[in-house]
Amino acid sequence: MKDIKTIDILDQLNVDLQGDVSSPSGFVAGGFHVGLRKQRKDFGWIYSENEAAAAGVYTLNRFKAAPLQVTEACINNNQTLQAIVVNSANANACTGEKGLQDAKDTQAWVAQQLDLPTHNVGVASTGVIGSFLPMDKIHYGTQNVMKDEYNHGAYFSEAILTTDTITKHLSVQVEIDGKTITIGGTAKGSGMIHPNMATMLGFVTTDANIESMELSNTLKQSVDQSFNMITVDGDTSTNDMVLFMANGQAENNTLTPTHPDWHKFNYALNFVTQYLAKAIAKDGEGATKLVTAKVNGAADTDEARKIAKSIVSSNLVKSAIHGEDANFGRIITAIGYASQNVEPSETYVKLAEVPVVEEGMAVLFDEQYLKEQLQGDNIEIEATVGTGDGEAAAYGCDLSYDYIRINASYRT
Amino acid sequence: MKDIKTIDILDQLNVDLQGDVSSPSGFVAGGFHVGLRKQRKDFGWIYSENEAAAAGVYTLNRFKAAPLQVTEACINNNQTLQAIVVNSANANACTGEKGLQDAKDTQAWVAQQLDLPTHNVGVASTGVIGSFLPMDKIHYGTQNVMKDEYNHGAYFSEAILTTDTITKHLSVQVEIDGKTITIGGTAKGSGMIHPNMATMLGFVTTDANIESMELSNTLKQSVDQSFNMITVDGDTSTNDMVLFMANGQAENNTLTPTHPDWHKFNYALNFVTQYLAKAIAKDGEGATKLVTAKVNGAADTDEARKIAKSIVSSNLVKSAIHGEDANFGRIITAIGYASQNVEPSETYVKLAEVPVVEEGMAVLFDEQYLKEQLQGDNIEIEATVGTGDGEAAAYGCDLSYDYIRINASYRT
């Protein structure tokens, strides 16, 4: 049943891979170069014509960066935002009281420029940790927010990148109450990507009219199945954040869990967050392949998530996949240390759809055939780990020479 | 006080870096080539002239390899061993009932050859997962156990290696009750090294007379401060095991926690296990530097251990150290996601003795000087994370291009 329903909805989804956070009605996004990076755009914004309901999910790192602290406090108090500004190149993390004041100043300058209440401006930063923001450049950025020539969704997608090699964005449309609802998303990721938010910024906008008290729950469940299920290198950064704005311009009946199309809306939202999450994983530093681990038969969802993440986090699995080597032993190892509830005799593993482990034991397979399958750039690992109901999918990438090259000299 | 005592004992330790498991009275070790590897020795043994008290610590991986299951059952039942045989190249893991029978056959053949009760023979394997042992070669090995020409401690050290580049062994001597007590150790490690036992085998022997009920506790505390505090790539293998044999030939008064020199004995034991653990970390696959993370001020020892391991496990920290880049932001990040109890405003970090973070904030430091310090091959990170009593040290290595090269093609 679930599968049929999913396909039904998928048929009704209108996906636009050119879309982004500026696609839903009433949203504008933009960005330009203020001088934080050498040449590339480094300062961007999202703006809604009217005050939007807002929710956020924030890093669990204890060294939560200053802009996250400022944005989280505002959303917690008001559940609204009308603008978000983002800078790349500098994370404004580990910068103490001065860093906090810099984030607040940024917010205040934007609020003044756009004539908004301060609390309706979110701020986000990504980049190097431990340096103060060059506030002259930031001030210059805030004075040019929403300038016509800089307003373009693609400019925003570029302005938030660090070591990313491509921009990540899309939009989808669904019909609800006879209205066309658009959900747009733009994200950046690359290194330091791991469950529970890493140097990853995700922005989702929608013109749907949604009960503001539900916004946070629906974002959380969506992030748990997407951004929190990716890993590039296992590190969870100080700056990760996903923000969600809903401005209601589509004028559908207010979405709540009792709305007949609540499931459809969530499916569309999850499509957006999962697409962005996979795009981030695939663009992990030095990555050449997207690795998906699907786990079923676990004791519960949490166990399944833990095991799936263990597989895509294992440096040994990641190196083997980089080498296109069918090293199922490392997959079994990663499963076995992730959970004490795994049942070896009930464990089955498929690598690129080829059974390699059955009942916890290696099985014979066609090495040459599997080697060819592993030359693709989308590698799927499917593991049954028992007879429970828990299932989950996690996304990662291979570990390459380039990961080391990039990270042995990023800061300097 | 603790420091003075430690130095007192260190003065009394007689360390022999040429020593190994065959150094204590009554122990013999050896090894030779049976054909599991192309040319190198691949089958080894440790033998005690008399039945020895024995204890073991075993992997927590749910896919515990067959030889570990067999050895653990014997030690649990009898707390004794007189011989241990080890093969490299093949882990006998994920091999089901046949693998279990193969391990038992190996054990039985050795028992017959040496005229020992079966339960006094321990078996261990390390190497590739998911292949059956070639039992003809193993049988050939067991028929030559303790052959004079193959008996040499160094041969054993070589026979247990996989991707290791150097053998790891030492012995120490202390005086107890006017008798000279020797403790010898030999280990192998390299990839897949992580807390809670990885593809790591450690063997410790002593001629001390020690209460057999205490053997297991003292081994466990020692492993928790040594082998369980190292990480090369975060993976915990199916085959990791540390075995400890004590044959009593030194004829000291039985060591128990009330013996006046109990602390001295444990100090000597910990010296052996920590030396071996650091040797394993430093010889991690592709490693060029030993990285030590010392954490203090944590809420308790467990928290300190978790944070110290988080630092040495971070791919980003490991890559930065490989690049000799003073990227303190990644250290802070690794601390911050390891524990929610870290106090940012109470956090201080020194990298190679240079303060880089104080009260959770970046501080100015001499980049050039620190860069020079990072060119050494022993890099120490010291972190204060609050005002608690918890402290711990963890050991790891940098992440290099060679790690990828080795692991992209190990199996094939």
Side-chain angles (χ1 to χ4, degrees), chain A residues 135-210:
Chain A
M135 291 306 286
D136 51 340
K137 293 174 182 171
I138 297 291
H139 185 258
Y140 174 69
T142 63
Q143 298 311 296
N144 288 277
V145 159
M146 288 294 288
K147 208 168 194 176
D148 267 352
E149 62 192 285
Y150 302 140
N151 279 338
H152 196 307
Y155 295 171
F156 176 74
S157 303
E158 290 164 29
I160 65 177
L161 304 184
T162 54
T163 54
D164 306 64
T165 64
I166 51 163
T167 57
K168 295 144 188 101
H169 53 85
L170 83 162
S171 65
V172 303
Q173 293 187 318
V174 280
E175 294 290 313
I176 289 180
D177 299 327
K179 313 284 187 182
T180 299
I181 300 283
T182 305
I183 304 176
T186 304
K188 63 91 39 186
S190 215
M192 217 192 271
I193 297 304
H194 194 62
N196 306 321
M197 309 283 97
T199 301
M200 190 205 70
L201 293 173
F203 303 96
V204 183
T205 55
T206 183
D207 46 24
N209 174 20
I210 172 170

Side-chain angles (χ1 to χ4, degrees), chain A residues 61-65 93-94 238-239, chain B residues 332-333 335-336 342-344 347 360:
Chain A
N61 196 300
R62 273 292 281 160
F63 294 88
K64 192 179 281 181
C94 296
T238 50
N239 285 61
Chain B
I332 278 289
T333 297
I335 294 169
V342 166
E343 281 305 330
T347 297

Side-chain angles (χ1 to χ4, degrees), chain B residues 350-365:
Chain B
K350 285 183 188 173
L351 177 57
E353 299 188 353
V354 176
V356 290
V357 172
E358 290 180 355
E359 298 179 356
M361 283 182 61
V363 291
L364 282 178
F365 54 87

Side-chain angles (χ1 to χ4, degrees), chain A residues 60-63 93-98 129-132 191-193 232-238 285 313-320 322-330 332-337 339-345 347 357 360-363 365 367 371 399-412, chain B residues 60-64 93-98 129-132 191-193 232-238 285 313-320 322-330 332-337 339-345 347 357 360-362 365 367 371 399-412:
Chain A
L60 294 179
N61 196 300
R62 273 292 281 160
F63 294 88
C94 296
T95 44
E97 283 303 318
K98 169 156 168 51
I129 292 173
S131 298
F132 292 123
M192 217 192 271
I193 297 304
V232 169
D233 52 26
D235 282 29
T236 301
S237 109
T238 50
E285 284 168 350
S313 299
S314 159
N315 276 357
L316 286 164
V317 171
K318 289 156 63 91
S319 302
H322 183 66
E324 299 171 351
D325 176 22
N327 200 316
F328 58 88
R330 295 182 183 168
I332 278 289
T333 298
I335 294 170
Y337 63 72
S339 162
Q340 290 303 307
N341 296 321
V342 167
E343 283 303 329
S345 65
T347 297
V357 172
M361 282 182 61
V363 291
F365 55 85
E367 286 265 359
K371 181 105 193 153
L399 179 60
S400 71
Y401 296 94
D402 270 1
Y403 177 85
I404 317 277
R405 185 184 55 71
I406 293 164
N407 282 300
S409 60
Y410 174 62
R411 195 187 57 102
T412 47
Chain B
L60 294 179
N61 197 299
R62 273 291 282 157
F63 293 86
K64 193 180 280 182
C94 296
T95 47
E97 283 303 317
K98 171 155 166 52
I129 292 173
S131 298
F132 293 123
M192 217 190 272
I193 298 305
V232 169
D233 51 26
D235 282 28
T236 301
S237 112
T238 52
E285 284 167 349
S313 298
S314 159
N315 276 357
L316 286 164
V317 171
K318 289 156 62 91
S319 303
H322 182 67
E324 299 172 349
D325 176 21
N327 199 315
F328 59 88
R330 296 183 182 167
I332 278 289
T333 297
I335 294 169
Y337 64 72
S339 162
Q340 289 302 309
N341 296 322
V342 166
E343 281 305 330
S345 65
T347 297
V357 172
M361 283 182 61
F365 54 87
E367 287 266 358
K371 181 104 192 152
L399 179 60
S400 71
Y401 296 94
D402 271 1
Y403 177 86
I404 316 279
R405 185 184 54 73
I406 293 165
N407 283 300
S409 60
Y410 174 62
R411 196 187 57 103
T412 47

